Amino acid sequence: MTARFIDVFNGDADGICALHQLRLSDPAESELITGPKRDISLLKRVRAQAGDRITVLDIALSKNRDALDALLDAGAQVRYFDHHQPGDIPVHPHFEPHIDTDANVCTSLLVNEFLQGKQLAWAVTAAFGDNLGEAARQAATPLGLSAGQLVQLQSLGECLNYNGYGETLDDLFFDPADLYRKVRPYADPFGFIAESPAYRILKTGYQDDMARAVAVGATEARPAGRVFMLPAEKWARRISGVFGNQLAVESPAQAHAVLTAKPGGYVVSVRAPLVSRIGADQLCSQFETGGGRKAAAGINHLPESELGRFIASFFDVFG
């Protein structure tokens, strides 16, 4: 049988822009495997055989190790770009890792380095979406963009990222695979901004949901950080992560936690202080479904009974 291309990517701005950069430079018809941003155990959905070429983007190796080992055992070739804590990285002749956990790096910036800057504007877009504003502006220097153009790329990155948050695909405006397909015809992100109805839909949704979020006061506020609690509604599930990003930018010396209610508990987004960018993974990994990066992490299901322990641990880590 003919070998297939299979692209596995996080459904946020970083995953979509990373894949877009690669496929602009190396076009291929591929099977797409993705989902909402928090659906990171994606490799278990891959069915591959010897010779298949699998590209993995922006999902933690540590959460996909068993599935990765199985794919390598089956004879597939796997190229892996990521910036989350990987655990042990396998050494295998068919495995090509590009992994860097530096807090100022995202997957799209790793792909940009791999491609030697060939699709830089999309990497900048992704970095803005991942709340790496300073890294995005530094990376953009060779493009010679105006302040207004940088604002446009920031808005695009934030909107693409915003679309990834939700408990299920039903919470999102677009299935991330469909959103990638809408981005794919555009070599230039400014073309997508100017022409795509999808961007206008996301921008309007982002603005409406953010307006609701900013009207919610902090449940707990101390000098070290603030905790916000959002209701079990679609708008809250969509905005939770980008609301955390905005809070971090507004108050860079504080840590932030955004808890969105769900049956039996909460979905949690944590942002470390931007001045340090450390501690978020340390906090969230204390809980069963937690994980992420030093600067930004989360918990997929925090039981109601664990709320007190979480808040105490939050101020322990960041206090």
Side-chain angles (χ1 to χ4, degrees):
M1 295 180 67
T2 304
R4 298 173 299 150
F5 290 88
I6 303 170
D7 292 331
V8 185
F9 60 104
N10 196 314
D12 68 356
D14 200 15
I16 289 172
C17 292
L19 176 59
H20 189 41
Q21 290 177 81
L22 284 171
R23 290 291 165 236
L24 282 172
S25 296
D26 184 17
E29 285 303 314
S30 63
E31 178 184 347
L32 302 179
I33 295 180
T34 187
K37 180 177 173 66
R38 290 180 181 273
D39 185 2
I40 58 172
S41 298
L42 295 174
L43 282 192
K44 65 186 180 185
R45 290 165 44 187
V46 177
R47 298 292 175 264
Q49 60 189 16
D52 285 347
R53 297 176 61 181
I54 303 168
T55 300
V56 187
L57 300 154
D58 201 38
I59 59 172
L61 193 157
S62 59
K63 304 288 186 183
N64 290 272
R65 179 59 191 269
D66 290 346
L68 173 61
D69 288 344
L71 293 170
L72 293 172
D73 288 345
Q77 300 177 47
V78 182
R79 185 172 56 177
Y80 212 113
F81 294 86
D82 190 49
H83 63 136
H84 302 90
Q85 292 296 337
D88 292 331
I89 300 175
V91 177
H92 191 284
H94 291 163
F95 183 60
E96 180 189 325
H98 301 267
I99 296 174
D100 186 346
T101 61
D102 186 282
N104 292 304
V105 167
C106 65
T107 299
S108 284
L109 289 175
L110 293 177
V111 170
N112 177 67
E113 183 179 354
F114 176 77
L115 296 176
Q116 300 181 318
K118 290 177 183 173
Q119 312 297 339
L120 176 57
W122 285 106
V124 171
T125 299
F128 274 125
D130 232 20
N131 209 31
L132 298 176
E134 187 56 36
R137 283 182 278 272
Q138 288 181 6
T141 301
L143 297 173
L145 301 176
S146 68
Q149 288 174 311
L150 287 173
V151 169
Q152 285 185 287
L153 292 187
Q154 180 172 357
S155 175
L156 175 57
E158 289 171 347
C159 287
L160 293 175
N161 208 49
Y162 157 76
N163 183 74
Y165 283 95
E167 191 72 10
T168 66
L169 289 176
D170 186 54
D171 288 337
L172 312 185
F173 282 98
F174 301 99
D175 181 317
D178 291 336
L179 185 56
Y180 164 70
R181 292 186 185 101
K182 293 179 185 301
V183 167
R184 187 164 57 185
Y186 294 90
D188 179 3
F190 294 106
F192 183 79
I193 290 168
E195 299 172 15
S196 173
Y199 173 64
R200 292 191 287 276
I201 290 169
L202 290 176
K203 189 170 184 179
T204 299
Y206 177 95
Q207 292 169 337
D208 291 347
D209 290 352
M210 187 63 79
R212 294 188 186 194
V214 298
V216 177
T219 302
E220 183 125 13
R222 304 182 194 175
R226 294 182 289 173
V227 177
F228 291 79
M229 302 184 76
L230 302 182
E233 297 183 23
K234 279 188 176 185
W235 71 264
R237 293 191 290 270
R238 285 195 298 259
I239 205 64
S240 60
V242 289
F243 181 45
N245 290 345
Q246 177 164 308
L247 292 168
V249 170
E250 288 175 352
S251 186
Q254 288 184 302
H256 293 90
V258 178
L259 286 74
T260 308
K262 61 184 290 191
Y266 307 90
V267 175
V268 182
S269 288
V270 174
R271 299 294 180 265
L274 286 184
V275 295
S276 65
R277 292 190 177 276
I278 58 171
D281 57 343
Q282 177 190 342
L283 169 65
C284 293
S285 63
Q286 297 177 32
F287 298 85
E288 185 177 351
T289 60
R293 301 179 282 116
K294 296 173 184 177
I299 304 169
N300 286 343
H301 181 78
L302 179 73
E304 180 75 44
S305 60
E306 293 275 82
L307 177 59
R309 181 167 82 89
F310 171 78
I311 292 176
S313 297
F314 176 82
F315 288 107
D316 241 8
V317 169
F318 296 114

